[in-house]
Amino acid sequence: MQGYSLVAPAKINLYLEIIGAREDGYHELAMVMQSIDLADQIDITPNGSENIRVQCDNLEVPLDKTNLAYRAAELMAKEFPEQFAKLGGVDIKIHKRIPVAAGLAGGSTNAAAVLVGIDLLWKLGLTKVEIEELGATLGSDVPFCVAGGTAIATGRGEQLAEILGLDNIYIVLGKHLSLSVSTPWAYKTYRATYGDTYPQDNQSLTARASSVHSAPMIKAIVHKNAREISQLLHNDLEKVVLPEYAKVLELREAFASSGALGTMMSGSGPSVFGICESLEHAEKVKQQVRSSIPDEDLELFTTQTISQGIHLKSSI
Ligand code: ATP
């Protein structure tokens, strides 16, 4: 039986507001998520055994049961035991291009690709919503990564409302190779610092979260106005990450004085992005950031917004 090669794009957050604490212990969030063309490639093939095997060309990525791609395959085997018994396990090869632990949903997009890949391999015919629901049990960012594009994400980040795609906006992205920020640490620190400002009841929590639907950022996206989007970028997690991580602050400041239209940290960091007018502008911004921080540990990428999530590259 044939396998599939899938493209698994990263995401950035154009907007991330922490609304408050939920009864289940998670935070209620209001976010605008955006896919970019910086992507991993996931090759998934049946292996005729009872095992799920993961390979990756980046040594930072675990190959055991803690890998989110592995967990996605394990979930499919559990949910669809007949197909698993009949068709066997899978080999998953991850060609990693997305920086790891960067706030770019690298693991989540790999998991989303495995869900889509196994749906194809086992001819399950699942709908997008069914795949997103399975993804939500693996992690809050997984559902968005399935269809990608541009979406408002509320709840823990798993409740999605798609917006008209925002493609071809140039983005420069920076991340220090040796630096990572723990997402649980960032949220825990935010709660310890700002917890006393959270709304006290569920009703005001959901009302505030859903107000993002009518926010100026959404209008700017609908009008594809890169300048306005750049002025409206927001990420509450900057308030705890920037004071703690001098290198992220330095990178954020380098972008702010680079001539980019706007800049923001993505997710819990440490990656920082700048929005640009054109490819030429992006190259200038990249050079400017590089000359402010001539550290070899800093990786810089030129990428673009795209209006799709997991998609098929080829059969293999
Ligand atoms: P998010 O933006 O969803 O918070 P992230 O981009 O910050 O995620 P990941 O790249 O997903 O972070 O990596 C977080 C941790 O998850 C890593 O330290 C790594 O050990 C682990 N991990 C598990 N599976 C994967 C995977 N397939 N790719 C990358 N990291 C993985």
Side-chain angles (χ1 to χ4, degrees):
M1 203 207 312
Q2 64 173 3
Y4 295 99
S5 185
L6 296 139
V7 180
K11 63 87 189 157
I12 54 172
N13 297 89
L14 297 175
Y15 188 89
L16 190 163
E17 185 183 352
I18 299 175
I19 308 289
R22 295 156 52 101
E23 279 168 359
D24 61 9
Y26 287 93
H27 275 97
E28 183 74 26
L29 303 172
M31 302 191 285
V32 179
M33 320 271 270
Q34 174 63 56
S35 299
I36 54 175
D37 70 357
L38 177 65
D40 292 341
Q41 184 187 317
I42 306 288
D43 295 340
I44 182 158
T45 45
N47 62 21
S49 80
E50 284 175 10
N51 303 313
I52 296 159
R53 295 188 293 239
V54 177
Q55 289 176 34
C56 183
D57 50 10
N58 181 327
L59 295 175
E60 288 171 82
V61 176
L63 303 178
D64 58 11
K65 294 187 178 199
T66 63
N67 191 301
L68 266 181
Y70 182 99
R71 289 186 44 220
E74 192 179 46
L75 174 69
M76 293 300 266
K78 195 175 112 240
E79 291 288 321
F80 303 99
E82 273 177 36
Q83 277 84 353
F84 180 53
K86 200 163 88 193
L87 302 167
V90 287
D91 282 348
I92 301 164
K93 272 194 197 150
I94 305 172
H95 302 276
K96 215 11 113 188
R97 283 194 59 229
I98 304 171
V100 178
L104 300 170
S108 302
T109 192
N110 293 175
V114 168
L115 298 179
V116 171
I118 292 184
D119 173 58
L120 290 171
L121 273 184
W122 293 355
K123 298 187 173 38
L124 298 170
L126 298 175
T127 62
K128 177 175 79 78
V129 171
E130 285 168 334
I131 296 176
E132 287 172 354
E133 279 170 5
L134 286 167
T137 68
L138 297 167
S140 307
D141 284 347
V142 181
F144 167 74
C145 292
V146 174
T150 314
I152 300 170
T154 51
R156 291 187 286 126
E158 86 294 4
Q159 286 169 28
L160 300 173
E162 275 173 47
I163 323 174
L164 212 63
L166 181 73
D167 41 11
N168 300 117
I169 290 186
Y170 283 92
I171 306 280
V172 176
L173 195 73
K175 149 114 192 354
H176 286 92
L177 249 178
S178 61
L179 192 65
S180 62
V181 175
S182 147
T183 304
W185 170 84
Y187 280 103
K188 217 169 71 189
T189 310
Y190 192 92
R191 187 193 298 255
T193 319
Y194 299 102
D196 54 0
T197 67
Y198 291 176
Q200 293 307 310
D201 61 279
N202 262 340
Q203 225 178 349
S204 44
L205 207 66
T206 19
R208 266 181 66 180
S210 66
S211 71
V212 73
H213 288 263
S214 55
M217 172 59 96
I218 307 306
K219 289 191 194 120
I221 291 170
V222 170
H223 292 125
K224 294 191 188 270
N225 187 332
R227 274 182 186 273
E228 220 164 291
I229 292 167
S230 300
Q231 301 311 307
L232 296 166
L233 296 170
H234 178 86
N235 184 348
D236 274 337
L237 290 174
E238 283 199 340
K239 293 183 211 159
V240 291
V241 176
L242 298 187
E244 189 69 25
Y245 289 85
K247 283 191 170 184
V248 187
L249 179 62
E250 184 193 26
L251 182 57
R252 179 73 168 73
E253 284 170 350
F255 268 105
S257 54
S258 69
L261 298 176
T263 175
M264 193 56 48
M265 185 180 81
S266 182
S268 57
S271 61
V272 174
F273 65 89
I275 298 187
C276 302
E277 245 156 342
S278 60
L279 179 57
E280 205 189 2
H281 183 211
E283 290 307 328
K284 279 194 191 137
V285 165
K286 199 168 155 182
Q287 274 173 19
Q288 201 59 44
V289 174
R290 174 59 72 204
S291 66
S292 304
I293 310 178
D295 179 354
E296 276 180 21
D297 193 45
L298 176 66
E299 284 190 300
L300 290 167
F301 304 85
T302 302
T303 177
Q304 277 187 80
T305 59
I306 52 168
S307 51
Q308 57 181 348
I310 306 303
H311 53 282
L312 195 60
K313 184 168 184 242
S314 59
S315 296
I316 45 175

